[in-house]
Amino acid sequence: MNQAAEARSQAPEVGFSRRLLGPFHITGVFWFKFHHWGISILPSWAMGIFVVLFTTFFFLVLRRIRRAIASNLEAALGPCSWWQRQVRIYRSMWNFAWCLTESYEQKTTDRPLTVTVEGDEGLEDLHRDGQGFVLVTAHVGHWEVGALRSPRYKGWQVHVVREEEMDPKAQEFVLKLYENRGDDRVKMYFSPHATNVGVTLLAALRRGEIVALQGDRPPSGGRTVTAELFGRPIELPVGPVSLGRAAEVPLVPSFVFRAGRSRSRVVFRPPIQVAHTKNRQEDLQEAVQKVVAEVEAAILEAPYQWFCFRELWPGK
């Protein structure tokens, strides 16, 4: 196993531009607040114009991210012409803008979000038996909206682990948005590899509660394992499978696809049981590869809703 610090992050590349622009960099707090402000003052019918303007602006200025999107999608979809690459990039940015906009709408307005659910027949049985589980998702579609936000799961205690924002002020802003919603059933954490958080999550699972983790992106400082995505090596976090093994609970892959204006389609996949043999490393490796197989299938189902903004396989 490797340290995630040695692995290539999937967040946007930063460097001199971030030092120069500070809060006005794409990862800075200015864009978080500006987007939120626009959502809070504009009517619903104006969101389409808002999204097109922002998508076009960032499409023109974010050269590295354009290259990363095109490269990653080539691994998933195969090579294409220059013009087709531009369409792929724009569609990905357009979908990201919509998903982020509708996420802010859920946090700050009373605009409804229609949610349809597939494959959750066994979840209520798990919860009814008092068994917790690890909900494993990926940066696909409406991932920020959450798979268990439907009223159908009212009363379920969910612990959501979110990767840290690059700008501490942006992270503080995001955390306040969640806190202002007043949803006591959702607890937010930003340090998935901190010892105290790991102990808290393990205790929650043993109480029969749910822990939601990202399975496709290693947090800085977390341990990773090498798996294969689209036949290419990739470093993925070992945290979700390690936690499931320690608590002896299943992993439930889940993906929230954007299905139209203010519409989400939540898909739960069959639970993954982490083996508990004498060879811990083999157990974790096998489980991670099962998770990445589900992530790969989700990406292929909605490739332009895969939000990975750093080139995963440079030079390929």
Side-chain angles (χ1 to χ4, degrees), residues 66-84:
R66 288 203 313 269
R67 184 180 65 208
I69 292 171
S71 173
N72 296 337
L73 283 177
E74 185 169 301
L77 302 177
C80 63
S81 69
W82 184 88
W83 283 108
Q84 288 174 313

Side-chain angles (χ1 to χ4, degrees), residues 90-254:
Y90 194 89
R91 288 183 67 180
S92 298
M93 288 186 166
W94 183 82
N95 273 302
F96 179 74
W98 265 121
C99 288
L100 191 58
T101 295
E102 290 170 343
S103 172
Y104 275 126
E105 284 183 319
Q106 293 305 298
K107 297 181 182 76
T108 60
T109 75
D110 58 359
R111 296 168 192 165
L113 178 70
T114 302
V115 179
T116 59
V117 182
E118 301 173 12
D120 67 334
E121 296 81 7
L123 290 190
E124 292 187 8
D125 292 335
L126 285 176
H127 196 258
R128 189 182 302 113
D129 293 340
Q131 182 177 18
F133 57 87
V134 179
L135 194 68
V136 186
T137 187
H139 291 78
V140 174
H142 269 149
W143 64 271
E144 278 205 338
V145 173
L148 294 176
R149 295 292 172 82
S150 170
R152 182 172 182 173
Y153 311 110
K154 186 177 181 180
W156 292 23
Q157 185 67 56
V158 185
H159 301 260
V160 179
V161 181
R162 182 185 172 108
E163 65 180 303
E164 296 177 339
E165 300 293 340
M166 293 184 177
D167 184 339
K169 291 184 178 180
Q171 179 168 308
E172 182 181 348
F173 178 74
V174 170
L175 186 57
K176 284 183 178 178
L177 286 180
Y178 278 95
E179 290 175 345
N180 290 340
R181 290 174 47 186
D183 191 347
D184 294 335
R185 66 180 179 141
V186 177
K187 293 187 178 180
M188 181 72 59
Y189 306 87
F190 279 94
S191 302
H193 48 273
T195 302
N196 60 330
V197 174
V199 171
T200 298
L201 299 177
L202 184 59
L205 288 170
R206 287 173 173 167
R207 289 195 303 269
E209 297 170 1
I210 297 101
V211 172
L213 293 166
Q214 294 290 336
D216 66 331
R217 186 173 298 183
S220 176
R223 298 185 69 83
T224 65
V225 64
T226 303
E228 282 197 358
L229 180 67
F230 303 116
R232 301 182 182 189
I234 184 172
E235 294 297 321
L236 293 176
V238 75
V241 297
S242 181
L243 193 60
R245 186 179 186 274
E248 298 185 351
V249 300
L251 312 177
V252 179
S254 173

